[in-house]
Amino acid sequence: AGGGEAAEHRALVLTGFGGYEKLKVQARRGAGPRPGEVSVSVRACGLNFADLMARQGLYDRLPPPPVCPGMECAGTVRAVGEGVRDRQVGDKVMVLARSGLWQEVVNVPTSQTFPMPEGMSFEEAAALLVNYITAYMILFDFGNLRPNQSVLIHMAAGGVGTAAIQLCKTVENVTIFGTASASKHDSLKESGVAHPIDYRTMDYAEEVRKISPKGVDIVLDPLGGSDTTKAFNLLKPMGKLITYGVANLLTGQKKNLMAMAKTWWNQFSINALQLLHQNKAVCGYHLGYMDEEVELLRSVVAKLVNLYSQGKIKPKIDSVWPFDQVAEAMRHMQEKKNVGKVILVPEAPKEESRKAEN
């Protein structure tokens, strides 16, 4: 204990809902960890689609502003609270939380920390939890993915998309359809997508049907609105649709009431009797509402760490941005320029600072 614990640290604070400028780097005074908590020196944070929604006031798991966003980070344990036995100072950990992780120092319950596997970088660790837990649970727990099946992955070059492709490759002979803009198709093919589809110039449902007239076994739907209906119609008998987001709500940097109205108007709706005649499943997934399911999440993370250690999955880092460039990082992601994960770090990467000195 002592005065050191109340030192100032930098945090990204959402000052209100709206455009990119609503996120500001501010100084915060930290306290030490409470009983059952650990204090972590943060080295890297993940930027997620939900964070873009949160900035616009569209994400229901974020407390009202001013608030520090951020659902995942990675760093080193700097202090442990009373009663903590499973973590020690110096441990490298990844952290999952509902919000609050975009800062240089965070205090979190030890149950929300996971040891980083050997050989993993802080950037990779900040790219693992949200995207890979989501992709894993969607594909295996809900999707029941098995050999020789086919999967349609939207936003296939994004964080969850990249994770889902890698996880599909751990099952024999899975055919992957992936939507992304044309400039990303080569990189998608390299990563194992058999059929990249440019959603900007083509009707992806028609393209899927040309190759697979009966449709696909699993559709991952992060889009919502009318795309959920298209997804349902693309399912083979016994197929599964897992909806896990409403990216269609994001049209510009601020909340768009027209887009919201349109998305809700086109919201997919089906009753139990209709489902019965279709022989299809519809599932909804939201990691933000899983925070009570500690054992379940722990078991998923253990499987992912195991796959990482075997070299079967590896987070793909698109770009790394210092806290004070969070607006640029968000724009880069919202304009779908990224292939893989967008990472935020408290300070500028070392190369940058060297360039500045020369």
Side-chain angles (χ1 to χ4, degrees):
E5 281 174 356
E8 282 200 343
H9 65 266
R10 291 156 74 245
L12 279 172
V13 178
L14 182 65
T15 55
F17 297 129
Y20 302 118
E21 80 290 343
K22 294 290 183 189
L23 275 157
K24 302 202 175 3
V25 180
Q26 295 183 355
R28 283 201 158 181
R29 269 206 186 296
R34 294 193 298 243
E37 287 187 339
V38 292
S39 183
V40 178
S41 288
V42 176
R43 298 285 300 278
C45 306
L47 175 58
N48 287 293
F49 225 79
D51 298 312
L52 302 179
M53 319 261 315
R55 195 197 67 241
Q56 297 190 5
L58 299 170
Y59 187 73
D60 47 0
R61 297 307 265 171
L62 189 77
V67 60
C68 175
M71 297 160 202
E72 60 186 339
C73 70
T76 310
V77 175
R78 62 200 292 267
V80 297
E82 205 181 309
V84 173
R85 302 274 169 271
D86 54 347
R87 299 284 176 269
Q88 338 173 284
V89 173
D91 284 356
K92 293 180 173 183
V93 292
M94 357 185 215
V95 184
L96 187 64
R98 209 184 282 177
S99 63
L101 298 184
W102 288 356
Q103 34 188 344
E104 283 179 317
V105 178
V106 294
N107 295 331
V108 290
T110 178
S111 63
Q112 289 173 224
T113 67
F114 305 88
M116 280 169 53
E118 206 59 46
M120 183 181 260
S121 70
F122 288 114
E123 285 80 11
E124 282 181 334
L128 186 84
L129 292 177
V130 170
N131 293 160
Y132 282 80
I133 291 173
T134 298
Y136 188 96
M137 295 184 84
I138 285 174
L139 283 171
F140 297 116
D141 295 319
F142 272 149
N144 192 19
L145 177 63
R146 295 198 298 280
N148 308 316
Q149 289 189 325
S150 53
V151 181
L152 170 60
I153 301 173
H154 286 294
M155 305 204 295
V160 174
T162 307
I165 292 165
Q166 293 181 5
L167 289 167
C168 283
K169 302 298 289 174
T170 67
V171 178
E172 226 178 322
N173 197 29
V174 170
T175 304
I176 306 171
F177 295 82
T179 66
S181 50
S183 61
K184 301 177 182 176
H185 287 194
D186 287 345
S187 103
L188 286 182
K189 279 199 167 126
E190 275 166 44
S191 67
V193 176
H195 308 291
I197 300 168
D198 183 357
Y199 65 97
R200 293 181 186 187
T201 59
M202 295 169 175
D203 177 343
Y204 63 82
E206 275 174 32
E207 294 303 310
V208 170
R209 290 230 183 262
K210 277 182 201 166
I211 297 152
S212 178
K214 279 186 125 173
V216 294
D217 295 291
I218 300 172
V219 181
L220 275 52
D221 167 40
L223 304 173
S226 57
D227 286 293
T228 310
T229 309
K230 281 175 86 165
F232 185 77
N233 292 332
L234 266 178
L235 291 178
K236 289 179 180 175
M238 298 302 291
K240 297 166 190 77
L241 156 64
I242 302 99
T243 185
Y244 69 98
V246 207
N248 283 334
L249 289 179
L250 250 57
T251 53
Q253 64 161 312
K254 292 199 172 95
K255 183 152 80 176
N256 177 342
L257 294 175
M258 277 303 293
M260 289 179 77
K262 192 174 148 194
T263 304
W264 287 118
W265 179 251
N266 291 318
Q267 185 62 23
F268 175 74
S269 177
I270 191 165
N271 70 40
L273 261 183
Q274 290 170 296
L275 267 183
L276 206 149
H277 300 157
Q278 295 263 2
N279 288 303
K280 295 175 181 180
V282 180
C283 312
Y285 181 84
H286 193 312
L287 180 56
Y289 284 86
M290 282 279 185
D291 39 12
E292 305 297 306
E293 305 303 318
V294 178
E295 281 77 29
L296 179 57
L297 290 175
R298 223 161 250 308
S299 74
V300 175
V301 174
K303 288 170 193 159
L304 292 170
V305 164
N306 194 13
L307 287 170
Y308 177 86
S309 302
Q310 292 172 39
K312 290 188 176 164
I313 61 172
K314 188 174 175 63
K316 190 178 177 119
I317 309 300
D318 169 78
S319 51
V320 179
W321 309 73
F323 276 1
D324 46 23
Q325 285 178 28
V326 64
E328 290 89 334
M330 283 191 154
R331 179 179 288 114
H332 180 73
M333 184 167 178
Q334 196 166 324
E335 292 174 0
K336 303 212 175 79
K337 297 211 171 101
N338 57 306
V339 175
K341 186 77 171 183
V342 179
I343 295 287
L344 300 170
V345 292
E347 67 275 7
K350 294 292 175 278
E351 295 77 38
E352 299 301 321
S353 50
R354 257 188 240 127
K355 269 184 219 151
E357 283 160 22
N358 295 344

